[in-house]
Amino acid sequence: MSELVEKISICIERGKVNKAAPYPPDLKDQEGADELTKKALDKGETAASILQACNDAMQRIGDKFSRKEVFVPELLMAAKAMNTVMDHLKPYFQSGTIKAKGKFVLGTVAGDLHDIGKNLVSMVLEGNGWEVIDLGVDVKTEKFIDAIKNNPKCIVGLSALLTTTMPNMAASIKEIKQQFPDTIIVIGGAPVTVKDVDEMGADSYASDPQEAVNYLNSKTD
Ligand code: B1M
């Protein structure tokens, strides 16, 4: 990993958004995720390598949270820094494709506010020619149902980051399949595994955005 990319990773872990940000105090007046990402891209670092370093940083801050070394405010600052990086990376994932493959209705399930992974899935799918209808976070079943009604033949994606919201994922799938048995449903998110596909009655699992793209593309062939 280059020094610049490593610095970005540290900014994510420490929640250093940009130079003007006073947080964290020991990094005051130093460049943050914003400036460093721009520099890294200008110097030819790939979007994929920056993203990988940021994902590693989110893992590290998550582990610290598990060990009670940091708390929710620190997670929020890390998320804010990560979103700043993603704003810079977005064009790299979205360049040059025609939106023609189909519609993908995507949301983080009810009770769950985590959206960084979902937003990545959205970006990468859009970059691969899918029209994404992003319903946001804390998406109740009815909202998924309305979106399916408004977008016949769409594929649906559900994301969950909490073990406590996985039952909500299962409940949404059950209702969607009851009302629209032919709707294809893909699930993902850190605590979700391939074995949940059968248990929840979904059609597929994707561990990352590219797997979601591969699966969706296979449905257009
Ligand atoms: Co929270 N959080 N959080 N959190 N958070 C986790 C998930 C946790 C693992 C941290 C920990 O304890 N180590 C833990 C969950 C434990 C569990 O259930 N097993 C946890 C907890 C407990 C909580 C709260 C309950 C804390 C509290 O309040 N006491 C609370 C819940 C709030 C709620 O949702 N109701 C909470 C809150 C938050 C913040 C709001 C502060 C913030 C989220 C901000 C935001 O998203 N805008 C936050 C964060 C940042 C995290 C960690 C640190 C990072 C998550 C992240 O963005 N990762 C996380 C720890 C961790 O993940 N190690 C943690 C980076 C992202 C790129 O990865 O989202 O996994 P991920 O997405 C991946 C794949 O999973 C996949 O693609 C992405 C790219 O590879 N993917 C899909 C995701 N969705 C997909 C859908 C698909 C396909 C693939 O198809 C449809």
Side-chain angles (χ1 to χ4, degrees):
M1 194 189 299
S2 78
E3 201 183 322
L4 204 45
V5 173
E6 198 167 342
K7 276 188 182 169
I8 296 169
S9 182
I10 291 166
C11 285
I12 302 301
E13 186 178 353
R14 301 289 319 278
K16 176 70 176 170
V17 177
N18 55 28
K19 195 171 182 186
Y23 179 86
D26 63 307
L27 298 183
K28 192 165 179 275
D29 297 330
Q30 291 186 30
E31 287 181 319
D34 188 18
E35 295 84 4
L36 293 170
T37 306
K38 192 175 175 314
K39 258 189 195 169
L41 290 168
D42 287 347
K43 284 196 167 173
E45 294 289 350
T46 64
S49 71
I50 296 170
L51 185 59
Q52 184 57 53
C54 293
N55 285 345
D56 293 347
M58 292 308 267
Q59 186 62 47
R60 290 198 299 276
I61 188 81
D63 291 345
K64 283 185 176 173
F65 181 79
S66 296
R67 296 195 298 267
K68 298 194 168 46
E69 292 168 12
V70 300
F71 300 93
V72 172
E74 284 90 346
L75 290 192
L76 276 172
M77 291 311 295
K80 200 169 171 193
M82 174 97 184
N83 281 328
T84 304
V85 172
M86 281 169 58
D87 283 346
H88 285 288
L89 300 188
K90 207 169 180 176
Y92 292 82
F93 290 108
Q94 292 185 325
S95 53
T97 40
I98 305 156
K99 290 179 172 44
K101 288 184 183 163
K103 291 185 181 185
F104 187 57
V105 166
L106 176 64
T108 304
V109 301
D112 202 320
L113 303 176
H114 296 84
D115 66 356
I116 295 173
K118 169 189 71 64
N119 293 344
L120 271 172
V121 172
S122 170
M123 266 187 222
V124 174
L125 276 164
E126 281 185 350
N128 279 274
W130 286 84
E131 181 181 343
V132 178
I133 296 135
D134 189 340
L135 303 180
V137 295
D138 188 18
V139 181
K140 314 273 183 296
T141 302
E142 304 76 59
K143 202 166 169 186
F144 281 114
I145 299 283
D146 285 347
I148 297 164
K149 278 182 190 154
N150 292 332
N151 298 282
K153 294 192 181 159
C154 65
I155 296 181
V156 177
L158 284 80
S159 176
L161 260 288
L162 298 170
T163 45
T164 49
T165 57
M166 286 174 68
N168 301 344
M169 177 179 259
S172 287
I173 294 168
K174 192 174 174 203
E175 187 62 31
I176 293 168
K177 285 288 185 184
Q178 236 159 40
Q179 295 197 35
F180 305 95
D182 297 334
T183 299
I184 296 171
I185 303 178
V186 190
I187 54 175
V192 181
T193 68
V194 70
K195 86 177 184 0
D196 295 308
V197 170
D198 283 344
E199 280 177 18
M200 293 188 184
D203 295 279
S204 188
Y205 159 77
S207 66
D208 60 29
Q210 193 54 45
E211 270 189 21
V213 167
N214 295 345
Y215 178 72
L216 264 69
N217 285 349
S218 76
K219 294 290 145 192
T220 60
D221 298 338

